[in-house]
């Protein structure tokens, strides 16, 4: 499965989760967290629930097809969104412009970590993440043709642990990390 195929497959799943109200329920669990980071926005299906609650959202997404799909979905949903670069992240302490900012970067990137403004977010979300086999292989250091079947679970564990680590860098002292796993 390629990155493009994964983006299309995930869009179908995410639309079903949105239709069933799962994203609205997860958003409700956040309480009053006005500025959040979303690790892996995928097709963007979850993001309108967050922005609709008046939150400012920084979405991190490594799949270019998913970034483009998310921007399109958000525009059609009437949510102000824009793609930003790493150099723009330092200015998020004072949020201006669109309610949703999407950065096309791998959440495991050291450049991403180094660009994050400290103590800027009220919550970091890791909701039902996944990715295509080639990316999983890159993240785990295993050629995807040599997978033994447990790689997706190990990838999810790695991204969830990374979300906690990002919390030590970018959360306000009263901030929270919310993990929802689809497995």
């Amino acid at each position: 499965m390629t990155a493009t195929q994964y983006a299309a497959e995930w869009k179908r799943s995410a639309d079903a989760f949105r239709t069933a109200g799962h994203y609205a329920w997860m958003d409700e669990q956040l309480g009053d967290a006005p500025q959040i980071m979303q690790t892996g926005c995928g097709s963007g299906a979850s993001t309108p629930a967050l922005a609709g609650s008046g939150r400012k959202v920084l979405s991190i997404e490594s799949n270019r097809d998913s970034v483009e799909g998310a921007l399109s979905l958000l525009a059609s949903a009437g949510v102000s969104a824009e793609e930003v670069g790493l150099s723009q992240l330092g200015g998020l302490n004072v949020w201006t412009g669109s309610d949703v900012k999407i950065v096309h970067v791998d959440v495991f990137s050291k450049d991403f970590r180094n660009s994050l403004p400290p103590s800027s977010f009220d919550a970091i979300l890791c909701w039902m993440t996944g990715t295509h086999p080639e990316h999983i292989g890159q993240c785990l250091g295993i050629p995807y043709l040599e997978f033994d079947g447990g790689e997706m679970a190990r990838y999810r564990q790695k991204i969830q642990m990374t979300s906690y680590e990002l919390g030590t860098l970018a959360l306000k002292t009263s901030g929270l990390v919310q993990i929802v796993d689809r497995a």
Side-chain angles (χ1 to χ4, degrees):
M1 173 182 299
T2 66
T4 300
Q5 291 167 327
Y6 181 83
E9 181 181 308
W10 176 245
K11 182 184 180 316
R12 286 188 295 278
S13 295
D15 287 345
F17 291 135
R18 185 188 69 232
T19 300
H22 297 313
Y23 295 130
W25 178 84
M26 288 184 268
D27 174 68
E28 289 171 9
Q29 308 314 302
L30 291 172
D32 182 28
Q35 193 161 315
I36 60 175
M37 180 192 318
Q38 180 182 35
T39 59
C41 69
S43 65
S46 60
T47 312
L50 298 165
S53 297
R55 304 179 199 281
K56 303 294 185 185
V57 182
L58 173 66
S59 293
I60 313 306
E61 181 55 58
S62 63
N63 186 319
R64 168 51 58 196
D65 292 303
S66 291
V67 169
E68 292 170 9
L71 288 167
S72 176
L73 183 142
L74 293 167
S76 69
V79 176
S80 63
E82 65 181 315
E83 185 173 353
V84 298
L86 289 178
S87 64
Q88 296 169 279
L89 296 183
L92 292 181
N93 285 328
V94 180
W95 198 287
T96 60
S98 61
D99 292 335
V100 176
K101 299 182 185 299
I102 301 175
V103 62
H104 175 231
V105 67
D106 193 322
V107 73
F108 303 119
S109 160
K110 288 182 183 172
D111 290 337
F112 168 64
R113 287 174 187 245
N114 293 336
S115 299
L116 279 175
S119 304
S120 296
F121 296 94
D122 301 290
I124 294 176
L125 313 179
C126 185
W127 289 356
M128 301 186 281
T129 59
T131 191
H132 59 97
E134 186 175 351
H135 190 240
I136 292 170
Q138 291 169 351
C139 292
L140 299 178
I142 304 167
Y144 71 92
L145 294 175
E146 296 177 18
F147 282 6
D148 64 16
E151 289 77 14
M152 179 60 88
R154 289 195 296 275
Y155 171 79
R156 285 189 178 129
Q157 183 178 41
K158 182 175 180 174
I159 199 165
Q160 291 167 3
M161 292 307 298
T162 297
S163 295
Y164 288 119
E165 292 166 8
L166 291 173
T168 64
L169 299 171
L171 279 178
K172 297 174 183 173
T173 52
S174 61
L176 64 98
V177 176
Q178 184 187 54
I179 306 289
V180 178
D181 197 333
R182 63 181 165 151

